[in-house]
Amino acid sequence: MSDRWLAGDAYERYMGRWSRALAHQFLAWLRPPAAAHWLEVGCGTGALTTAIVSSCGPHSVVACDPSEPFIDHARRHLADPRVTFVVGGADALPPHDSSFDLAVSALVLNFLPVPGETLALLRQRLRPGGAVAACVWDYAGAMEFLRVFWDAATAVDGRAATLDEGRRFPLCSAQALHALFDAAGLSQVETGAIEIETRFAGFEDYWEPFLRGTGPAPAFVAGLEPPARDDRPSDDPHLPSSAISVRGVSP
């Protein structure tokens, strides 16, 4: 089953509203220098890009994503001369000129087929002493609004167990991320935990984004027959959700 990165507006309702809250905390943890040159891989609808522009005073940002609908959404909502949006994945990064101070990726590493190769490409594009940093959701543990969903989905349809992001993405742990950055030749590797509050106005506010078909869990819901789709998880409008962050420095 495809994860179906189809529509920017749908992604914003499903995950973007939470990734935007996470982005500011991730940058506060990163403590980047002002007037830096940034490279962002997997920018999606522009959550982290917007946070970089609004709080970090960048000199420039090159942000790429393979989903054209997501890039279109980002361009419509962030018009800043310092930002260049590019449709493409890690294979479409800017030329190797070692000119970036920071290379970042938010909520993307676990979706890459060979994340270690991408980290190596990012490291090549950094000036000496530049930093690579990333964050991923803690799918197996404290990403609670998805944990509630996948537990309920597995009870309805056993196929959900193999699609559960907590099982699909063993990379999403502090130990695995640290090892990945070490293997990419990065030094001074640090990991940390970030928690945000995912507060919903009620069950419909929680459930409606799952019906829009964009993202792994909504893609699963789209394949269900209506009776199964109407089975609802427990209503809890206040759930904490956690992400794991990692940072390494290029020698």
Side-chain angles (χ1 to χ4, degrees):
M1 181 180 294
S2 168
D3 290 326
R4 299 177 68 180
W5 308 113
L6 301 176
D9 290 344
Y11 182 80
E12 280 293 312
R13 282 286 295 147
Y14 168 58
M15 191 62 72
R17 51 181 169 166
W18 313 123
S19 56
R20 289 179 185 276
L22 174 66
H24 286 282
Q25 293 199 38
F26 173 60
L27 293 173
W29 173 83
L30 182 57
R31 302 184 305 278
H37 294 275
W38 294 71
L39 173 61
E40 182 185 358
V41 174
C43 66
T45 52
L48 181 57
T49 324
T50 301
I52 292 169
V53 168
S54 66
S55 63
C56 299
H59 187 280
S60 67
V61 183
V62 177
C64 65
D65 196 278
S67 171
E68 188 168 354
F70 282 14
I71 290 291
D72 287 343
H73 185 283
R75 284 173 175 156
R76 290 197 311 270
H77 291 83
L78 179 59
D80 190 293
R82 296 169 293 178
V83 178
T84 301
F85 286 110
V86 179
V87 177
D91 56 347
L93 295 177
H96 176 192
D97 60 3
S98 302
S99 63
F100 293 99
D101 301 295
L102 295 128
V104 293
S105 183
L107 311 178
V108 171
L109 279 185
N110 51 287
F111 290 105
L112 300 177
V114 190
E117 290 184 4
T118 299
L119 288 183
L121 290 172
L122 294 180
R123 180 188 165 191
Q124 291 171 7
R125 284 155 176 78
L126 291 176
R127 62 167 179 76
V132 178
C135 59
V136 295
W137 290 123
D138 181 11
Y139 290 106
M143 179 50 164
E144 293 197 13
F145 89 82
L146 279 181
R147 188 74 271 127
V148 167
F149 170 84
W150 285 117
D151 289 347
T154 301
V156 170
D157 187 329
R159 296 175 300 168
T162 60
L163 303 173
D164 182 339
E165 290 145 292
R167 297 190 182 193
R168 282 177 63 193
F169 301 135
L171 177 66
C172 296
S173 73
Q175 296 84 356
L177 289 169
H178 198 293
L180 184 72
F181 272 54
D182 276 339
L186 293 159
S187 63
Q188 302 176 45
V189 179
E190 303 173 24
T191 61
I194 301 169
E195 183 170 296
I196 65 166
E197 182 178 88
T198 51
R199 180 175 292 276
F200 302 91
F203 180 77
E204 291 306 322
D205 187 35
Y206 171 85
W207 184 238
E208 187 272 340
F210 286 94
L211 305 178
R212 294 189 175 205
T214 290
F220 171 77
V221 172
L224 294 174
E225 296 298 322
R229 211 161 44 232
D230 291 339
D231 284 352
R232 295 182 170 193
S234 301
D235 186 2
D236 186 345
H238 174 198
L239 295 168
S241 293
S242 291
I244 305 161
S245 55
V246 59
R247 171 186 182 274
V249 176
S250 176

